Amino acid sequence: MRSEAAASAETANQRSGRILLMVTAIGWGLNWSVLKFVLQDWPPLFARGSAGLLGAVGLAAFAAFRGECFVVPREARLRLAAAAGINVFAWMGFTALSLNWLKVSEGALIAYSMPIWAMLIAWPLLGERPNNRSLLALALGVSGIAVLMGGPDLAGGKLPGILFALAAAILFAIGTVTARMTVPMNPTALTAWQVALGCLPMVILSLFLEQPHIFSLSLPGLCGLVYMAAGPMALCYLTWFGALRRLPASVAATGMLLVPIVGALSAIPLLGDRLGGREILAVALTLSGVGLALRRSGKLT
């Protein structure tokens, strides 16, 4: 009886993890198109950092409403700072900086090599040895992203951008694998701290490197900023950390391959982009890989 109850609880846990993962992928995917409206008025670091700080304020208000404690245990402060640097600043900040040298398609292709690194890192750290199904799922997903984005052009002084995007991918993979080594705090307050600590340096760096015109934000840009703050920087970080607590790191990382696919599809109604044969093939490959990774049974060995 106990084993049946445990199996039922594990099934429910996996199901909720997959739902949280889909919410994260859709929210972050839409952000690629919405971000373009904000980038017409503000530079990348300032746009993402400002949205993150607004999202952190919203998360803090919600956590306060729920009566969560914001005090970080002394022994966990360094761990919190490291998590904020890896999960927020490195991913959002480094990918934003990479766009100073790379096209969006080039930066995205390198950044979404993250599942490869997560699978490799999870093997020695967590003992999650990839099986044939995991490898096939990853190969399908990465092939889809490669078809969608095309290969990066390494010429023309793009090495700094490539290094920033690659660093973002590897560090976010480390954050994905080690996410279960959490700080002992309530999830909403903890996420508010991580987003705030990760985004504040982006804004500070932007003031020196990008020199943004703060009051140049248009109405479309303002709407985009509100979405970025409420969705990708607040809700989606909550759902992402929730998914990581319920799913294997390699599965969660492979699910993130949906993000650029959602971004490409959302650009059709939002930005007027067209869906051609390459995009259809990319969607088919990536959805096949993610679907295979999220299956509960029928493992290939």
Side-chain angles (χ1 to χ4, degrees), residues 54-68 70 188-189 192:
L54 290 174
V57 170
L59 285 169
F62 183 63
F65 175 77
R66 296 180 59 184
E68 294 187 11
F70 287 91
T188 308

Side-chain angles (χ1 to χ4, degrees), residues 103-124:
K103 295 185 294 186
V104 170
S105 60
E106 295 170 339
L109 175 61
I110 299 171
Y112 282 95
S113 67
M114 183 269 286
I116 299 174
W117 308 109
M119 185 174 290
L120 293 175
I121 294 168
W123 189 349

Side-chain angles (χ1 to χ4, degrees), residues 16 29 55 73 95 101 108 132 135 150 173 178 217 226 241 286:
S16 62
T95 53
W101 294 273
N132 290 343
L135 294 173
T178 59
L217 196 63
V226 170
F241 293 135
T286 304

